[in-house]
């Protein structure tokens, strides 16, 4: 198997040129996506604040937008560094920069991953909270839907997720050293001898197991929300038809336990129009996250079987090209969240367009 992979991934000059060209094009596209996403999430944050942070769900969406904003800022800066790196490669290092662009790109992507992990935790909180809201509406409104619950949940999970990658930063840096590519000294990437072993463990946890767990939780939550949402919409339609016909929505039963069960079922399905829109919004968000994050999950799995595909392995250039695609998919998700908010929230849409108009007038 290793011999076949070596043959397929042989680092010929033509292949290196194709990989470099592909990375350059994708980096430019990612930079444009990040610029649009930074503007969109900035206006989104302002819009959520204008709407009023009255409950935990709205506060969660605000925190998610903040994480998306900082993720896109670091990804956009990394795209610029990636473009500089491609300039050096295309000119065979005849043109080079005072600081190694690859080192800056790598460091910025690690910083961006911290905010992406926080966004993952927020998505889990929103999905679980919405499942609880459709399962036990009254209990959710009185307990889970409060701002204090969000603060407790995020303050206990986000620091843990961020702390996972701290050892990665502790044993690396960008320091002046000799660069064999340009045969001179400039600040470039440095790691301690234990860094590679440590990152293999950390990236296996964050890149595979954490992503698998998040994907499974969101998939289960999405299926649950879809089932309950479909029943709730049908329930509202039937109730509306009966009311329009002048009837009353009652259920007769000879068993008191049966009456209680029917009443509980009706209470679960009696979602307000706002709750239905939020559930629809979270359902689409969960599906968008699953789709955009699937390349990352699929990419990290072969690294355990074939380590030469890692960033510092024999086929590191191929890793970089695929990693650029993975990060671009994540940027699309963080940028596309704004479109989902605009689709399912009429009040958000109204305030967003108003704030966007004010921003355009200020720039003019």
């Amino acid at each position: 198997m290793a011999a076949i992979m070596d043959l397929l991934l042989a680092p010929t000059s033509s292949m290196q040129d194709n990989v470099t060209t592909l990375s350059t094009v994708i980096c430019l596209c990612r930079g444009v996506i990040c610029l649009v996403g930074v503007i969109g999430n900035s206006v989104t944050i302002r819009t959520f604040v204008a709407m009023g942070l009255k409950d935990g769900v709205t506060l969660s969406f605000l925190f998610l937008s903040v994480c998306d904003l900082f993720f896109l800022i670091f990804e956009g800066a990394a795209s610029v560094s990636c473009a500089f790196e491609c300039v050096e490669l295309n000119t065979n290092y005849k043109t080079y920069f005072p600081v190694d662009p690859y080192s800056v790109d790598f460091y910025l992507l690690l910083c961006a991953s911290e905010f992406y992990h926080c966004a993952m935790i927020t998505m889990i909180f929103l999905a679980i909270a919405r499942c609880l809201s459709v399962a036990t509406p009254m209990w959710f409104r009185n307990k889970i839907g409060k701002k204090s619950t969000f603060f407790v949940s995020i303050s206990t999970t986000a620091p843990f997720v961020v702390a996972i990658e701290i050892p990665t930063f502790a044993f690396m840096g960008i320091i002046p050293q000799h660069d064999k590519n340009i045969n001179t000294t400039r600040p470039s990437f440095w790691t301690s001898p234990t860094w590679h072993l440590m990152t293999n463990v950390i990236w296996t946890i964050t890149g595979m197991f954490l992503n698998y767990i998040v994907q499974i939780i969101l998939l289960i939550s999405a299926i649950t929300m879809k089932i309950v949402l479909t029943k709730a919409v049908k329930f509202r339609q039937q109730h509306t038809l009966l009311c329009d016909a002048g009837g009353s929505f009652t259920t007769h039963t000879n068993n008191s336990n049966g009456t209680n069960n029917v009443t509980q079922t009706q209470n679960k399905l009696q979602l307000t129009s706002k709750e239905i829109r939020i559930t629809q919004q979270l359902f689409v968000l969960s599906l968008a996250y699953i789709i955009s994050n699937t390349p990352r999950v699929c990419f990290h799995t072969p690294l355990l079987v074939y380590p030469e595909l890692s960033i510092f392995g024999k086929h590191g250039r191929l890793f970089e090209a695929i990693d650029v695609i993975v990060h671009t998919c994540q940027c699309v998700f963080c940028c596309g969240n704004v479109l989902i908010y605009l689709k399912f929230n009429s009040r958000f849409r109204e305030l967003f367009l108003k704030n966007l108009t004010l921003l355009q007038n200020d720039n003019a």
Side-chain angles (χ1 to χ4, degrees), residues 147-164:
K147 292 190 289 186
S148 58
T149 305
F150 165 78
F151 283 119
V152 172
S153 301
I154 296 300
S155 61
T156 54
T157 55
F160 171 75
V161 173
V162 173
I164 293 178

Side-chain angles (χ1 to χ4, degrees), residues 18 104 128 149 155 159 168 184 197 201 221 224 229 322 336 354:
N18 292 335
V104 177
I128 295 177
T149 305
S155 61
T168 303
T184 187
L197 177 61
V201 176
S221 300
T224 303
L229 183 63
I322 299 176
K354 180 180 178 181

Side-chain angles (χ1 to χ4, degrees), residues 165-199:
E165 297 242 13
I166 288 180
T168 303
F169 293 96
F171 294 94
M172 60 169 281
I174 301 177
I175 62 175
Q177 53 186 319
H178 180 74
D179 191 335
K180 63 181 182 180
N181 293 317
I182 59 175
N183 197 27
T184 187
T185 300
R186 67 173 176 176
S188 54
F189 186 69
W190 168 88
T191 60
S192 69
T194 59
W195 185 84
H196 292 278
L197 177 61
M198 187 179 306
T199 52

